[in-house]
Amino acid sequence: MKTKWLPIAVAVVSALSAQAAVSAEAAGFDYYGYFRSGMGTGDGGSMQDAVGGSFEKKKLGRLGNEFDTYAEVGFGKELKSDDTKSVYIQTMFNMYDGDTNSKMDDSNFGWENLNMQLRNFMGLGETSWVGIRQYNKSYSIGSNDYDYWNQTNIGGGIEGMKLGQGKLSVAALHRDIADSYINDDAQNVEDMIDANQLELTYDSLPVWNGATLAMGYKFLNADATTEQTDVLHKHDFADGHAVMLELNQSLLGTGWNKTTLQYYADGSALQGVTFGAADTLNGTVESGNGFAIRNHGIIPLAADWELSHAINYAEANDIKLWDGKEGDASAFAVSAKVTYHWTDITRTYVEAGYFDDEKTENGDVESRSGSKTTIAQAFSFGRGGPELRVFASYLDSDNSDWDGSHAFDNGTADDTWTIGLQANVWW
């Protein structure tokens, strides 16, 4: 029943968005947003039964590998301004529905942006802000839906302050640690540990023609209560550190390539191998260190051909957990997408990805791997515009949960296929 209503829902959302854009522009508001949706069927029934919400898309790529609905709708308004500075308010709500068979009344809504900005008050081109904000959005692999340096946080700071040839950003941020403990009735109880962050980034530093350098450091402080450390969890919580160095190189006019090095320590040590965003402490980690090497970008091959790619390799070493377990881990993932533009309104994609993870825990070695191949036909109004896609994907897995379990078709198969439709829209 829900599938029958999807075309109507998309049409209504499009019409309302268009009307909202006209009304917002007339009222002097900025109107912006993002929307994606995937639906279809799989080898073992529905997408949800065959694959779930997605299969390792941070590693394998998101094309033909997103079977949910997600939207961000935002508004911005300049409240006060003169010739040099301004006061700006920004808001954006988001919506997520990860179940393709869900009821219409169980979707999750939240805030993605809700902040106040003072722009250029110091005359250095900076933005001073407080609230909830999508912050440092450029540190992301879009084709894999993966942010490797935090994107959305609550806090405040000064962003993009001109200093020398580059730009300095300073932020105090807040993101609690999700943890749990066993109560006296042997029940697993979810708990939140207070955590604060100090982030420093210096970016846009020119190094040679077409290339810029970015550097970042993040200190993550776990601020657990005495009751949480001594009574509930019966262990302390380690602080974390994350360091980043990134080279951004333009290629052949319209292309680009980014090479990123990241280092993690103590409470942040697992962020690389777990494909985290470097903004969350792993509350189970007492000590250790890790690193990640990333390379991603888009390379024009000819007038109508282009190649996008993402390569990630990460390690975690000398990991010690609060429960006494010790070990190491590694993660490797590569994905690539070839695009052929038939015309300005239609194109064909072929995307393939592979990952291989390994971990050692108290001397026991476990591994898992998987792959995805997708072919898709896309339609849009101009190159690089919002798209409607028809896709077919084949997915394969070996030991998806480290224990030899099956990944697909409700835990009964090691591989599966899916066919369906996707919308990918931004404005």
Side-chain angles (χ1 to χ4, degrees):
M1 179 63 68
K2 186 175 181 181
T3 300
K4 295 180 180 179
W5 283 99
L6 183 63
I8 299 175
V10 171
V12 170
V13 169
S14 300
L16 291 176
S17 296
Q19 180 60 43
V22 173
S23 300
E25 184 176 356
F29 285 90
D30 296 326
Y31 176 65
Y32 53 94
Y34 172 73
F35 157 72
R36 74 164 187 255
S37 185
M39 54 81 66
T41 190
D43 186 18
S46 70
M47 294 288 197
Q48 194 72 20
D49 292 333
V51 182
S54 65
F55 177 61
E56 298 285 358
K57 69 175 178 177
K58 291 182 179 181
K59 304 172 183 178
L60 302 177
R62 67 194 301 176
L63 183 66
N65 195 19
E66 289 180 323
F67 320 124
D68 55 14
T69 297
Y70 176 77
E72 300 173 344
V73 179
F75 294 90
K77 174 69 174 178
E78 188 175 75
L79 301 180
K80 298 282 186 179
S81 67
D82 59 23
D83 293 337
T84 61
K85 58 186 179 296
S86 65
V87 178
Y88 190 84
I89 185 97
Q90 181 187 45
T91 182
M92 172 187 278
F93 68 85
N94 59 15
M95 165 269 182
Y96 176 74
D97 185 347
D99 182 355
T100 55
N101 297 315
S102 69
K103 297 181 294 182
M104 300 301 291
D105 60 354
D106 66 352
S107 300
N108 296 313
F109 286 81
W111 291 108
E112 194 77 8
N113 283 300
L114 185 59
N115 61 80
M116 176 182 175
Q117 303 173 19
L118 305 182
R119 297 179 172 181
N120 200 42
F121 268 52
M122 293 184 287
L124 297 173
E126 84 293 341
T127 297
S128 303
W129 64 277
V130 173
I132 303 172
R133 189 164 181 231
Q134 290 178 323
Y135 179 70
N136 280 335
K137 293 179 64 177
S138 63
Y139 303 113
S140 175
I141 303 176
S143 60
N144 292 28
D145 198 24
Y146 174 41
D147 303 315
Y148 49 87
W149 197 253
N150 68 299
Q151 180 168 350
T152 301
N153 273 302
I154 185 169
I158 302 173
E159 181 182 15
M161 181 169 53
K162 294 179 182 177
L163 184 65
Q165 292 184 300
K167 297 180 179 180
L168 176 68
S169 298
V170 180
L173 307 169
H174 186 88
R175 175 161 291 183
D176 291 337
I177 311 169
D179 211 331
S180 62
Y181 64 93
I182 305 299
N183 65 12
D184 294 337
D185 297 324
Q187 297 173 321
N188 192 62
V189 180
E190 293 297 320
D191 192 22
M192 298 298 291
I193 310 301
D194 186 60
N196 299 295
Q197 307 171 26
L198 172 65
E199 181 185 294
L200 305 173
T201 58
Y202 187 64
D203 58 23
S204 305
L205 179 65
V207 288
W208 57 72
N209 185 35
T212 59
L213 196 65
M215 296 166 277
Y217 168 73
K218 183 183 290 292
F219 171 66
L220 299 88
N221 171 246
D223 188 22
T225 66
T226 301
E227 182 185 19
Q228 288 173 321
T229 57
D230 296 349
V231 179
L232 300 179
H233 299 271
K234 296 181 174 60
H235 66 76
D236 204 351
F237 289 84
D239 296 336
H241 305 267
V243 180
M244 179 184 65
L245 181 67
E246 180 168 280
L247 177 67
N248 185 2
Q249 175 71 59
S250 62
L251 294 173
L252 303 174
T254 59
W256 54 272
N257 186 81
K258 292 184 178 182
T259 301
T260 308
L261 305 178
Q262 292 181 279
Y263 175 79
Y264 316 90
D266 297 330
S268 300
L270 294 181
Q271 285 290 288
V273 293
T274 58
F275 279 64
D279 66 341
T280 305
L281 284 169
N282 298 107
T284 58
V285 178
E286 179 180 355
S287 62
N289 62 85
F291 70 87
I293 303 172
R294 314 188 192 281
N295 184 275
H296 63 105
I298 298 175
I299 304 172
L301 302 178
D304 296 320
W305 292 87
E306 64 186 33
L307 169 68
S308 63
H309 71 283
I311 304 170
N312 293 276
Y313 178 77
E315 287 187 9
N317 301 301
D318 302 320
I319 301 299
K320 183 178 180 180
L321 305 184
W322 289 109
D323 63 5
K325 295 178 182 178
E326 298 183 10
D328 306 287
S330 65
F332 169 74
V334 58
S335 61
K337 179 171 64 181
V338 176
T339 305
Y340 177 69
H341 298 271
W342 298 91
T343 68
D344 284 343
I345 65 171
T346 181
R347 62 200 55 85
T348 298
Y349 296 116
V350 177
E351 182 175 84
Y354 172 80
F355 78 90
D356 191 328
D357 298 340
E358 183 176 290
K359 71 174 181 177
T360 301
E361 189 175 282
N362 290 346
D364 297 328
V365 180
E366 296 178 295
S367 63
R368 63 182 182 182
S369 62
S371 64
K372 183 205 70 134
T373 303
T374 298
I375 184 170
Q377 184 67 29
F379 304 89
S380 71
F381 195 89
R383 298 190 182 190
E387 292 184 338
L388 184 141
R389 305 163 181 163
V390 181
F391 71 87
S393 294
Y394 172 75
L395 304 103
D396 181 73
S397 173
D398 180 24
N399 295 359
S400 67
D401 294 317
W402 303 105
D403 57 4
S405 63
H406 300 296
F408 307 116
D409 299 344
N410 285 321
T412 64
D414 290 327
D415 64 345
T416 192
W417 56 262
T418 61
I419 56 174
L421 303 172
Q422 284 185 318
N424 193 49
V425 185
W426 57 94
W427 63 93

